[in-house]
C-alpha cells in the first residue's frame, strides 16, 4: 500500500540538514530557520554540531549522537521520541549530505516505517560539485562513495568501475589517495581521463585534470584535504580489466584444482595458457 507523507502538514517531521563542506558562507537562511524551529538536533559528531549552532547563534538546543556505530539503535529511539513529542527534529552529518557515504539512511527508513515525513534542507554536495568541475559530458553518473579498503571486494569494485560507461564519483581521504590512484592505474586504460577535486568550497579548493597515468606524479601539496575523484566513463569494456577479472575468478575457484582452469576457459573465453598461469599464481600465493 502506498504511503503519502507530506512534509508540512503539521505531523511529526524529520529534517536532513546539509551542512557546509568548509565555507560557512554556504549556510542558507533556511538552515538557521530550520534549526531554530526543531526541538532536538541529532548529529554524526555532536561537537561539530554544537560549533555550527554556536556560529548561527542558536542556544539551548538539545544535541544527540547518531553515527555509523550506533545508527540502527539510536535512529529508532529518535523516531520513537519524535512520535511522542510531535514537532520536528533535525539530523546533520559532519560535513555535506547525510546518507551519501554518511549516516542517515537508517533514520530515513525508520521515519518512513512510522509514517513520519522527511524534508531535506539542501546545500553544497561534494559529489555534485566535483561532477560539475570534471567537465565530463556524461549524461549520467554512478556514485561509488568510498572504495572497499582491501581484498577481493576492492579488486572487484575497481574492475566494475573500470567497465562502467557513465562517469564514476569516488570519495577518498588524503591518506589513501596515492594507493587508490595506483590501483586504478593498474586497471584503467592509460588514457582514461580523471578529475581530482579537493577542498571543495574551501580556500585551498583545487581541481586537477589529466589521464590516470599522469596522476602517479601528483604533487605533494595536492594530496591534502578531503578528495573526490571523477572517473571518465569507459569507451568500451576493453583494456586491462579482463586480466584482473581472471585473477578474481581464479581466487574464487582455486579450491577446485585444475578443474578451475577448464571452467575459466569455458566461462570467460580466455586461453588455457592464461587460465593456467592465473591458477599457478593463485596457488603460489597460498
Amino acid at each position: 500500500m502506498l504511503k503519502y507523507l507530506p512534509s508540512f502538514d503539521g505531523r511529526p517531521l524529520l529534517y536532513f540538514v546539509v551542512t557546509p563542506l568548509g565555507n560557512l558562507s554556504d549556510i542558507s537562511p533556511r538552515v538557521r530557520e530550520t534549526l531554530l524551529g526543531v526541538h532536538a538536533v541529532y548529529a554524526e559528531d555532536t561537537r561539530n554540531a554544537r560549533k555550527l549552532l554556536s556560529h548561527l547563534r542558536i542556544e539551548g538546543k538539545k544535541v544527540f549522537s547518531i553515527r555509523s556505530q550506533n545508527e540502527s539503535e539510536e535512529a529508532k529511539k529518535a523516531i520513537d521520541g519524535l512520535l511522542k513529542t510531535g514537532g520536528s527534529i533535525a539530523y546533520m552529518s559532519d560535513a555535506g549530505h547525510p546518507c551519501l557515504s554518511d549516516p542517515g539512511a537508517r533514520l530515513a527508513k525508520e521515519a518512513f516505517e512510522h509514517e513520519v515525513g522527511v524534508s531535506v534542507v539542501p546545500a553544497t554536495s561534494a559529489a555534485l560539485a566535483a561532477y560539475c568541475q570534471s567537465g565530463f559530458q556524461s549524461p549520467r553518473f554512478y556514485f561509488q562513495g568510498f572504495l572497499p579498503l582491501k581484498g577481493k571486494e576492492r579488486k572487484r569494485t575497481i574492475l566494475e568501475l573500470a567497465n562502467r560507461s557513465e562517469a564514476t564519483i569516488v570519495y577518498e581521504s588524503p591518506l589513501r589517495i596515492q594507493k587508490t590512484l595506483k590501483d586504478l592505474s593498474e586497471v584503467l586504460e592509460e588514457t582514461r581521463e580523471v578529475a581530482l577535486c579537493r577542498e571543495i568550497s574551501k580556500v585551498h579548493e583545487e581541481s586537477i585534470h589529466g589521464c590516470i597515468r599522469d596522476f602517479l606524479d601528483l604533487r605533494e601539496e595536492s594530496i591534502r584535504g578531503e578528495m573526490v575523484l571523477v572517473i571518465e566513463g569507459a569507451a568500451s569494456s576493453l583494456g586491462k580489466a579482463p586480466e584482473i577479472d581472471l585473477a578474481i575468478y581464479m581466487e574464487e575457484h582455486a579450491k577446485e584444482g585444475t578443474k578451475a582452469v577448464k571452467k575459466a576457459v569455458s566461462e570467460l573465453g580466455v586461453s588455457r595458457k592464461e587460465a593456467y598461469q592465473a591458477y599457478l599464481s593463485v596457488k603460489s600465493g597460498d
Side-chain angles (χ1 to χ4, degrees):
M1 185 175 70
L2 295 176
K3 293 182 179 180
Y4 294 86
L5 303 175
S7 294
F8 306 110
D9 66 346
R11 290 186 295 178
L13 179 63
L14 164 65
Y15 286 101
F16 282 125
V17 176
V18 185
T19 51
L21 300 175
N23 190 332
L24 294 179
S25 296
D26 290 339
I27 299 174
S28 69
R30 188 180 170 209
V31 169
R32 185 172 190 275
E33 177 185 313
T34 299
L35 292 175
L36 274 172
V38 299
H39 69 260
V41 173
Y42 293 80
E44 182 181 11
D45 188 320
T46 56
R47 295 166 299 181
N48 289 342
R50 289 191 177 97
K51 287 179 183 177
L52 184 60
L53 291 170
S54 176
H55 173 78
L56 294 172
R57 301 186 304 281
I58 298 175
E59 299 178 356
K61 200 67 66 175
K62 295 179 181 178
V63 182
F64 303 96
S65 170
I66 294 183
R67 57 191 192 280
S68 57
Q69 294 88 342
N70 68 5
E71 184 175 5
S72 293
E73 178 183 352
E74 294 303 319
K76 181 171 176 31
K77 289 181 182 178
I79 298 302
D80 285 347
L82 175 60
L83 290 170
K84 290 176 182 176
T85 62
S88 59
I89 59 174
Y91 180 75
M92 303 185 292
S93 51
D94 272 358
H97 214 298
C99 307
L100 296 184
S101 290
D102 272 330
R106 184 63 229 175
L107 192 56
K109 179 71 171 174
E110 283 289 337
F112 159 72
E113 289 178 349
H114 291 85
E115 300 190 9
V116 170
V118 178
S119 182
V120 176
V121 182
T124 305
S125 162
L128 294 180
Y131 180 67
C132 291
Q133 290 179 8
S134 73
F136 297 144
Q137 298 182 47
S138 169
R140 297 174 297 155
F141 64 81
Y142 174 77
F143 177 71
Q144 166 62 38
F146 288 98
L147 291 168
L149 295 180
K150 57 185 178 180
K152 294 179 184 177
E153 188 180 0
R154 181 177 175 89
K155 289 181 181 178
R156 185 180 292 106
T157 300
I158 290 176
L159 171 64
E160 290 173 354
L161 298 187
N163 287 319
R164 285 193 169 276
S165 60
E166 65 270 45
T168 296
I169 300 171
V170 175
Y171 284 170
E172 196 49 280
S173 83
L175 299 177
R176 295 191 299 267
I177 187 63
Q178 289 180 308
K179 173 174 170 49
T180 292
L181 289 168
K182 181 178 182 298
D183 289 348
L184 288 170
S185 72
E186 292 175 354
V187 177
L188 300 178
E189 312 93 291
E190 288 188 343
T191 56
R192 186 81 72 90
E193 292 282 332
V194 173
L196 187 156
C197 305
R198 69 182 191 90
E199 296 290 81
I200 292 172
S201 89
K202 303 176 186 177
V203 68
H204 297 297
E205 182 177 56
E206 178 180 44
S207 60
I208 308 167
H209 303 253
C211 298
I212 184 61
R213 63 188 175 196
D214 299 328
F215 276 89
L216 299 180
D217 299 321
L218 198 63
R219 297 195 313 266
E220 180 71 24
E221 61 268 26
S222 291
I223 57 173
R224 298 168 187 164
E226 295 304 311
M227 302 187 176
V228 184
L229 290 170
V230 186
I231 304 166
E232 181 186 30
S236 71
S237 60
L238 300 178
K240 292 187 278 185
E243 178 184 343
I244 307 300
D245 192 14
L246 175 58
I248 294 172
Y249 180 93
M250 202 56 71
E251 285 178 359
E252 294 177 344
H253 294 81
K255 291 182 180 179
E256 300 175 30
T258 54
K259 289 183 180 179
V261 176
K262 185 176 180 180
K263 289 180 67 173
V265 172
S266 173
E267 295 179 14
L268 301 182
V270 298
S271 70
R272 191 180 188 286
K273 180 180 179 181
E274 288 176 307
Y276 190 64
Q277 286 177 339
Y279 171 74
L280 291 178
S281 177
V282 170
K283 293 300 289 181
S284 65
D286 288 347

